[in-house]
Amino acid sequence: MPESSYVLAPACVFRPGPDATVVALVGRRAFSLAPRVFQTLAAFACPRTIAAAHATLAEFGSPAELAATVAGLVAEGLLVDERTPAVAPAAWPTSLVEALDPAALARKDDIAAQLAAGRAVVIRDALRRDLAERVGAALDAAVRWRAVEAFGSSPHYRHHVLDEADPAGPTIAASRALFGAAASRELAAALSGRDCGGPLELGATRYVAGDFAAPHADHKLARAVAFVWHLARDWDAASGGQFVWGPSGAQVVPSFNTLIVFNVAAETVHAVTPVSPYARGKRLSVTGWWSHGAATDEAPEPAGFARWGVGAASYGAQPLALDAARGLLAL
């Protein structure tokens, strides 16, 4: 019988970890890998037998020791025997009703009340983890980003959008179908109290050093409800790129699988602070709008606005934590 060949599990993705480690993610499980273990996995990026891999990993021990390491990695699902039928990734959800975290769906009434009051709702760990990992990994590997900018007009901005000829293009097309599904539009309409029957706008964005978005409201279009699905990993406030909510002055540091949703109106001014030239990591997101079924010059303003502070960054509804422990906030 021919010797088995092993290969990296197709659902396995990696991100940097602390202290020279690498974090491997398979489905909903995360593994912190020492450099030696990561190098062993990397040796099986293409199908190889243990004997063939040992030729480049001899310093890690004997073939028997390598075989024992491989057996452990197979048991954890990080490597697969090439002869074993591959397990297909979890099916792509048909709508946000399937994709959103059940805890967020259970708070629909709370979310609707805060959107009606003019707040932006921030949902941590918003979508299914396997879906976020799949989209995040595709954007992390993308290379065809195109700078778009506007200066001398309002609003001022500079950021990068994904050229959908990039290999990540089909993933974004699938995301567009997910957010644009009839059940997704119905959910957005129920939460926002808005007509969301018009065309969906959705694309992938990346903010690199110097990119920013000056305060703007997006209301002089047919846009009804805006969303930003953050997919940045290990991002911190020192890197810039915070989402700033003008009505309260609150700021949100991008974090992986965090969804921000708000009703579009003249009062819902928001911005993105400039990204630092010293930023590490990638500020990645999927951004879009559900629009009105009939074109309109201006969306109605949400109820509940009242000036409570001084200055341009302190008007509207005061920030409110709906349930910080469960990752649901209102700005």
Side-chain angles (χ1 to χ4, degrees), residues 194 223 263-266 292 296 298-303:
R194 298 285 187 85
R223 294 167 176 171
N263 285 356
V264 176
H292 299 275
T296 180
E298 191 165 323
E301 294 180 9

Side-chain angles (χ1 to χ4, degrees), residues 127 133 302:
L127 275 71
E133 292 293 352

Side-chain angles (χ1 to χ4, degrees), residues 126-268:
L127 275 71
R128 258 175 34 189
R129 183 72 187 194
D130 64 306
L131 180 65
E133 292 293 352
R134 195 182 309 184
V135 179
L139 294 187
D140 185 57
V143 294
R144 301 184 67 167
W145 296 97
R146 173 172 54 86
V148 294
E149 56 187 7
F151 296 98
S153 62
S154 181
H156 308 299
Y157 64 85
R158 173 187 166 86
H159 60 262
H160 288 67
V161 298
L162 182 69
D163 180 341
E164 293 196 23
D166 187 274
T171 301
I172 298 307
S175 299
R176 186 175 295 114
L178 171 66
F179 280 78
S184 299
R185 293 174 184 275
E186 291 169 5
L187 176 62
L191 293 175
S192 66
R194 298 285 187 85
D195 172 11
C196 296
L200 174 80
E201 299 177 65
L202 181 146
T205 59
R206 180 181 178 187
Y207 282 72
V208 304
D211 284 0
F212 72 100
H216 62 286
D218 291 332
H219 67 291
K220 293 186 180 294
L221 297 165
R223 294 167 176 171
V225 183
F227 57 87
V228 183
W229 183 22
H230 284 290
L231 294 166
R233 299 184 188 276
D234 303 318
W235 195 266
D236 57 33
S239 296
Q242 290 97 324
F243 175 89
V244 181
W245 184 242
S248 66
Q251 298 189 16
V252 178
V253 177
S255 59
F256 189 76
N257 197 20
T258 291
L259 182 69
I260 302 176
V261 184
F262 58 93
N263 285 356
V264 176
E267 296 279 5
T268 56

Side-chain angles (χ1 to χ4, degrees), residues 59-115:
E59 70 274 20
F60 290 169
S62 67
E65 290 171 317
L66 178 58
T69 299
V70 167
L73 296 172
V74 169
E76 295 292 357
L78 295 166
L79 288 178
V80 295
D81 188 326
E82 192 184 24
R83 297 176 301 177
T84 302
V87 177
W92 194 275
T94 60
S95 75
L96 288 175
V97 177
E98 295 179 13
L100 281 171
D101 180 75
L105 284 174
R107 304 295 299 276
K108 289 191 296 184
D109 291 345
D110 286 340
I111 294 171
Q114 301 312 319
L115 292 177

